[in-house]
Structures are given as structure tokens and as C-alpha cells.
Amino acid sequence: MTRKGKTKTCQKAGLNRSILSVGFGMIGQFLDYKLAEAGRFYVESPTQQLKPSQRCAKCWELTPKTLSDRVHVCSNPHCNHVEDRDVNAAQVNLAWARGKELASSVAEPPSSTACGSMRQLGAKKRQKPHAS
């Protein structure tokens, strides 16, 4: 959204400044903090590798589309899944996140602190165990 304009005019400079001043990067940190406080966790999907708007939620097949294509029609002849493009992308992201949730719950049990502070949890994990 903040890419430099194609013309020599400075019309886009004001828009870029206002977009960057909002601080979209902080939203993830705020969500992470609040969800940790509530005993939940926050996961961002890697959209560059996952390509959720082009991937089928049923068979995971990639079907290249343009921005004008608003309906996902799977290119796999055995699947033929038809869905609104945004709904399909949300389903792909949800399936990916559920796979990560399952993998993380098997790998390490969730831990929490009394106040929910991730900084305190990290400090607690870095402490050397006391000899008894």
C-alpha cells in the first residue's frame, strides 16, 4: 500500500505518510499481548508462501487468479470446489492455523504466568535451576 507512486507527483506521499502513521505493525503486538493475557495465543499465517486467496480449502490445490476473479473455482477435476474467494481464503488460513495449533500442542504444553506477561515468562524460562 505504501509503494512509491508511478508518476512524478507527490499525491501519494501524503497517503503513504498517513498509512504509516497508523502503525499497522503494532496491531499484531497488541493482539499477542491481549490474547496471552486471556490465556490464548496469536498466530500469523505466512501469506507469501501459503497463498490463501489462490489455494483451495478442500484439496489444497493452487489455482492462479487475478484480483478481478471474486469466486474461487478449484482447478482440480476431482474437487470442483466453488466458494467466494474471501471465504475460501479464510478457510485456508483457518486450516493452516489449526494445523499449527495441533503441532504446537503436541510439541510443548502451554504454559502461563499469574499475570499473563510474556516477558516474565521468558525471564522465568531463562533462570538457572536451583540445586536442592
Side-chain angles (χ1 to χ4, degrees), residues 15-122:
L15 176 64
N16 287 348
R17 202 174 310 114
S18 64
I19 288 173
L20 292 173
S21 71
V22 173
F24 285 111
M26 296 291 290
I27 292 174
Q29 293 174 1
F30 291 143
L31 285 172
D32 191 24
Y33 167 73
K34 285 297 186 181
L35 288 171
E37 202 173 66
R40 308 277 189 217
F41 59 94
Y42 171 73
V43 178
E44 282 187 28
S45 62
T47 55
Q48 294 287 330
Q49 295 85 23
L50 189 60
K51 299 183 180 180
S53 62
Q54 297 184 8
R55 190 173 300 276
C56 180
K58 300 294 180 193
C59 68
W60 224 243
E61 178 92 16
L62 276 175
T63 306
K65 297 180 201 61
T66 62
L67 286 174
S68 62
D69 298 333
R70 299 310 308 161
V71 176
H72 169 78
V73 179
C74 185
S75 62
N76 186 351
H78 301 293
C79 180
N80 293 327
H81 177 66
V82 178
E83 188 79 62
D84 180 68
R85 182 178 179 163
D86 297 333
V87 172
N88 184 66
Q91 290 172 351
V92 168
N93 281 323
L94 184 62
W96 182 85
R98 283 188 174 154
K100 292 299 276 185
E101 176 185 11
L102 190 65
S104 67
S105 67
V106 171
E108 184 179 325
S111 59
S112 64
T113 59
C115 68
S117 170
M118 296 306 287
R119 183 175 291 165
Q120 287 179 358
L121 177 62

Side-chain angles (χ1 to χ4, degrees), residues 114-132:
C115 68
S117 170
M118 296 306 287
R119 183 175 291 165
Q120 287 179 358
L121 177 62
K124 188 175 181 181
K125 284 187 174 183
R126 286 189 296 273
Q127 287 179 351
K128 292 182 180 178
H130 298 288
S132 46

